[in-house]
Amino acid sequence: MTITRVLVANRGEIARRVFATCRRLGIDTVAVHSDADAELPFVAEADRAVRLPGNTPAETYLRADLVIEAARRSGADAIHPGYGFLSENAGFARAVEAAGLVWIGPAPESIESMGSKVGSKDLMRAAGVPVLEAPAWFRDGRSTTSSTSEMEADLPLLVKASAGGGGRGMRIVRDLSLLEREIATASAEATSAFGDGTVFVEPYVEAGRHVEVQVVGDGAGEVVVFGERDCTVQRRHQKVVEEAPAPRLPDHVAKELHEAARRAAAAIDYRGAGTVEFLYDPSKERFWFLEMNTRLQVEHPVTELVHGVDLVELQLAVASGGGLSGLVTGLRPSSTSGDLNGHAIEVRLYAEDSTWTPQSGRLVTLEIDHEAEFGPLARAGVRLDSGFASGNEVGTHYDAMLAKVISWAPTRDQAIRQLVSALRRARIHGMTVNRDQLIEILTDPAFASMDVTTSWLETRETAPAEAASGTDPAAVAAALLVAADDAARRTVQAGIPAAWRNVVSQPQRTVLIPGAGGRADSGDEVIVEWYGTRTGFAVDGATVLAATPESVRLEVDGVAGTWSGRIVRDTRTGARDVYLDGPDGASAWHHPPRFTDPADQVVAGSLLAPMPGSVISVSVAAGDRVEAGQLLLVMEAMKMQHSITAPADGVVAELNVEAGTQVAAGQVLVVVSDDETTAG
């Protein structure tokens, strides 16, 4: 069958990725979108777009009936599910086929076989693929022994959702007394994310690496293996850095992994693109099956770049009934690193702070230098797969990933250097993102030598930041941007040099707080002193060569540099966030208002919402006495649950939310006082 019009039942970056291949092949495209996504690039890029009324996934992208109706209305003859949402929903796949549409994915039976992580282990065991076994005392979701010593001997444990992935519904348990609570939390999170609260328990391998193998099958017995990827660098079980091929993987282990993945796919007559994931123990050179993702993976670009293939094109070819041989000539199921071309590394750029807390708001600027978008590179360089553009709003309803930045080069070292350079030069304004953390990871000697495990980021020790000595050019540039902005906004005495005084008695002082959106009471204030002159500005320790509201050029110790910037102003308070891109990378600064509104103050003991989201459960009431660490409430944001606990022993003096309350970042949720008389 010839596919002529593809509807992508997804959003953002993956929708744009599928559209790119469809455009190249002359296939029409259809987007479906929620109200929150109406202005995102993927909607405008599609040939046709159909609105799914609502904002949440449950109202929109998870509504199989609405998606299929959108295909009918738009004249689509095929549906590509992307990843996440309905991509591994066997019922949706059957409904698509029942509607007379082409399902660009594996057979529903294959999805079901691998959709249950419990059932898939049984299947893999029978196929001769190594699997991790659950503790003998834990079967069918409950303990079968009362022997505490026997149970403690198996710690740590991993509680994991049977359906879905992405770190949702997953908890590490190191204290046996917390097992029951973590199972309940993981189950609730899995229910919210995937509609299935089934979880299981298995040993947690502390020093393991996450290695996965890309396969493509034709549904008739042929399975082609496109090497492996390393996805070891993770936080909260979500991948941060992915690369191909896997570094420091012995050839014989790679061959065994490829063969195990081939057997896994052949066991279910797999059709289309899929990934078989393994946990690898380098000390023993052993690996175990984790799961099979019966869809395209987020990290598929690194495989495309080193193998020179378009995996979306292969998906379309197989779904159309075509074979694989003509598209993958020269690649065999046992292909190893000898078939590869160079090295590729991908990082996921997230809207999140240094504590990995998701952020939301307006993405003022997103500019990342690159040689290609969503496709192959003709030479060593950077590929960008992004779901957002400058000016877009990043909401709270979906994953916080802004873009994937992928570097491809002849060697791993060069790929790393290219990627670090691209991230440092990127212009990202208006939101807090994980760019600095990504650079720290890529430049860490442990990463360079691949001396990392899946728990590396949680245990990694970083050197404390050195205190700046002398003049900090970035702080000076930020202060002068603010001063130049003030001068440009003046309606009285316009044209007179900023802060000009006939008789200079003292310098002007600009207060800055590192980081956008900082609080004036954070204790991290930086004060920059400067003078207004007839020709501009003067600063001790630096020569100001030029200063405007958009750019500052300074000379320090005989070395000149330019800091370009962007100011985002809070029209209510007058506070400003300053985003700088300079010779030493990017920085953000908050310039608080001169006078603080009393309404913005919070009382001692206030627990604030760490991000926008919704309250899904409350465990206390006003007047309750609580202990340090006690669970007070649970929030959900961007499909992840976050527990709010008591910081110290005390009494709940105020409770301002209930289950179902939507909250903004910084909103006071609970006030815990150490004085019982304040309890309401």
Side-chain angles (χ1 to χ4, degrees):
M1 175 184 177
T2 300
I3 295 175
T4 62
R5 184 172 298 165
V6 172
L7 181 148
V8 177
N10 220 292
R11 62 184 294 276
E13 162 266 327
I14 184 56
R16 298 185 73 194
R17 166 68 190 91
V18 176
F19 292 163
T21 292
C22 287
R23 279 195 301 271
R24 182 172 61 79
L25 298 177
I27 299 173
D28 287 351
T29 57
V30 181
V32 290
H33 66 89
S34 67
D35 292 334
D37 284 344
E39 301 303 318
L40 291 188
F42 81 96
V43 178
E45 288 181 3
D47 296 312
R48 293 166 176 80
V50 180
R51 172 179 174 249
L52 304 178
N55 290 313
T56 68
E59 295 173 314
T60 56
Y61 301 106
L62 292 175
R63 286 284 303 274
D65 56 336
L66 296 183
V67 172
I68 292 174
E69 173 61 16
R72 185 195 64 78
R73 289 165 54 192
S74 62
D77 51 22
I79 290 182
H80 191 298
Y83 44 71
F85 295 134
L86 295 169
S87 63
E88 294 179 283
N89 186 308
F92 178 56
R94 286 195 176 93
V96 169
E97 294 177 343
L101 303 169
V102 175
W103 168 248
I104 305 174
E109 294 75 19
S110 296
I111 298 175
E112 285 178 333
S113 296
M114 291 300 187
S116 167
K117 293 181 177 64
V118 176
S120 64
K121 283 192 171 188
D122 295 335
L123 189 61
M124 293 300 96
R125 189 182 297 107
V129 179
V131 300
L132 275 172
E133 302 291 353
W137 51 265
F138 193 91
R139 292 289 186 271
D140 301 322
R142 63 184 185 277
S143 172
T144 59
T145 180
S146 58
S147 172
T148 302
S149 60
E150 179 184 349
M151 297 165 72
E152 288 180 342
D154 288 320
L155 292 175
L157 298 170
L158 182 65
V159 180
K160 194 172 184 181
S162 182
R168 301 175 188 93
M170 191 178 295
R171 293 289 189 276
I172 298 174
V173 179
R174 303 182 187 278
D175 183 341
L176 203 57
S177 66
L178 299 178
L179 178 59
E180 184 176 342
R181 190 180 88 176
E182 295 291 32
I183 288 175
T185 301
S187 179
E189 193 169 273
T191 299
S192 174
F194 316 119
D196 182 350
T198 304
V199 298
F200 64 96
V201 174
E202 67 184 17
Y204 179 62
V205 180
E206 293 272 16
R209 282 173 53 184
H210 186 124
V211 181
E212 60 189 31
V213 179
Q214 177 71 58
V215 298
V216 179
D218 65 358
E222 182 179 6
V223 177
V224 178
V225 174
F226 290 95
E228 79 286 338
R229 300 184 285 256
D230 190 286
C231 307
T232 297
V233 180
Q234 305 175 6
R235 87 284 189 272
R236 294 175 183 166
H237 311 292
Q238 289 188 306
K239 300 165 186 173
V240 178
V241 181
E242 300 108 343
E243 54 185 309
R248 294 182 57 188
L249 186 69
D251 286 344
H252 74 276
V253 175
K255 291 178 179 178
E256 292 170 7
L257 279 166
H258 299 170
E259 176 57 24
R262 189 198 62 77
R263 288 200 305 269
I268 56 173
D269 292 326
Y270 194 75
R271 181 185 74 203
T275 297
V276 187
E277 301 194 346
F278 298 93
L279 182 62
Y280 170 56
D281 185 346
S283 66
K284 300 176 182 178
E285 294 189 354
R286 293 183 60 192
F287 59 85
W288 300 272
F289 171 83
L290 285 176
E291 62 183 327
M292 182 174 185
N293 294 132
T294 52
R295 53 171 169 80
L296 198 64
Q297 290 278 88
V298 176
E299 57 271 22
H300 75 275
V302 295
T303 294
E304 292 186 322
L305 291 175
V306 298
H307 282 280
V309 298
D310 184 329
L311 291 172
V312 174
E313 181 178 359
L314 293 184
Q315 286 184 298
L316 292 166
V318 172
S320 300
L324 291 170
S325 56
L327 293 169
V328 293
T329 301
L331 287 173
R332 301 270 67 83
S334 59
S335 64
T336 63
S337 57
D339 300 309
L340 304 179
N341 180 17
H343 198 95
I345 302 179
E346 169 183 301
V347 293
R348 303 187 187 191
L349 184 69
Y350 277 90
E352 63 183 21
D353 64 15
S354 59
T355 66
W356 307 332
T357 301
Q359 306 290 295
S360 63
R362 184 165 178 260
L363 186 60
V364 177
T365 307
L366 179 63
E367 297 174 356
I368 302 173
D369 294 339
H370 56 277
E371 283 71 40
E373 279 190 297
F374 304 105
L377 288 163
R379 55 185 173 82
V382 171
R383 164 175 162 176
L384 179 66
D385 287 18
S386 173
F388 290 87
S390 299
N392 288 155
E393 289 288 331
V394 180
T396 62
H397 300 291
Y398 314 110
D399 188 86
M401 188 175 76
L402 302 178
K404 301 181 309 196
V405 189
I406 312 104
S407 173
W408 176 61
T411 67
R412 183 173 187 259
D413 287 345
Q414 183 179 340
I416 292 173
R417 290 196 302 271
Q418 284 179 175
L419 191 49
V420 169
S421 178
L423 291 170
R424 282 179 172 154
R425 297 196 315 270
R427 293 158 296 283
I428 308 168
H429 305 153
M431 297 193 70
T432 301
V433 301
N434 67 332
R435 183 242 308 268
D436 290 346
Q437 292 95 312
L438 294 175
I439 292 174
E440 288 176 5
I441 291 168
L442 293 170
T443 56
D444 193 301
F447 179 78
S449 62
M450 205 53 197
D451 185 19
V452 299
T453 68
T454 53
S455 60
W456 177 58
L457 287 187
E458 280 82 359
T459 59
R460 172 174 171 261
E461 294 184 3
T462 57
E466 296 183 5
S469 58
T471 303
D472 182 351
V476 172
L480 296 185
L481 243 68
V482 170
D485 184 58
D486 285 338
R489 290 177 178 275
R490 261 191 337 217
T491 57
V492 178
Q493 297 182 330
I496 296 177
W500 167 253
R501 299 290 186 273
N502 285 320
V503 179
V504 179
S505 60
Q506 61 185 8
Q508 301 293 311
R509 305 171 84 245
T510 298
V511 177
L512 298 169
I513 301 169
R519 291 178 56 83
D521 58 359
S522 66
D524 296 326
E525 291 184 353
V526 174
I527 297 176
V528 177
E529 296 185 339
W530 53 274
Y531 299 85
T533 72
R534 292 181 183 274
T535 57
F537 301 93
V539 179
D540 290 341
T543 301
V544 183
L545 302 178
T548 72
E550 293 81 31
S551 177
V552 172
R553 186 165 177 80
L554 301 174
E555 182 181 292
V556 179
D557 294 332
V559 178
T562 299
W563 284 257
S564 60
R566 188 152 190 170
I567 295 175
V568 178
R569 186 182 184 92
D570 186 325
T571 57
R572 184 180 68 86
T573 66
R576 282 169 283 189
D577 286 332
V578 182
Y579 297 89
L580 283 181
D581 299 292
D584 294 322
S587 62
W589 305 84
H590 181 70
H591 177 55
R594 185 174 181 182
F595 302 104
T596 303
D597 188 335
D600 293 333
Q601 300 296 311
V602 296
V603 301
S606 296
L607 299 179
L608 311 182
M611 79 289 287
S614 60
V615 176
I616 63 172
S617 67
V618 177
S619 304
V620 295
D624 286 356
R625 172 159 286 283
V626 296
E627 297 179 352
Q630 181 176 333
L631 180 66
L632 304 179
L633 59 89
V634 177
M635 283 185 59
E636 185 172 77
M638 298 182 181
K639 299 187 288 185
M640 295 291 285
Q641 293 189 3
H642 307 267
S643 298
I644 307 297
T645 59
D649 294 353
V651 173
V652 178
E654 292 182 24
L655 181 61
N656 300 321
V657 295
E658 59 185 16
T661 301
Q662 295 288 322
V663 297
Q667 182 175 330
V668 178
L669 305 172
V670 186
V671 177
V672 176
S673 170
D674 58 2
D675 182 1
E676 291 189 48
T677 63
T678 64

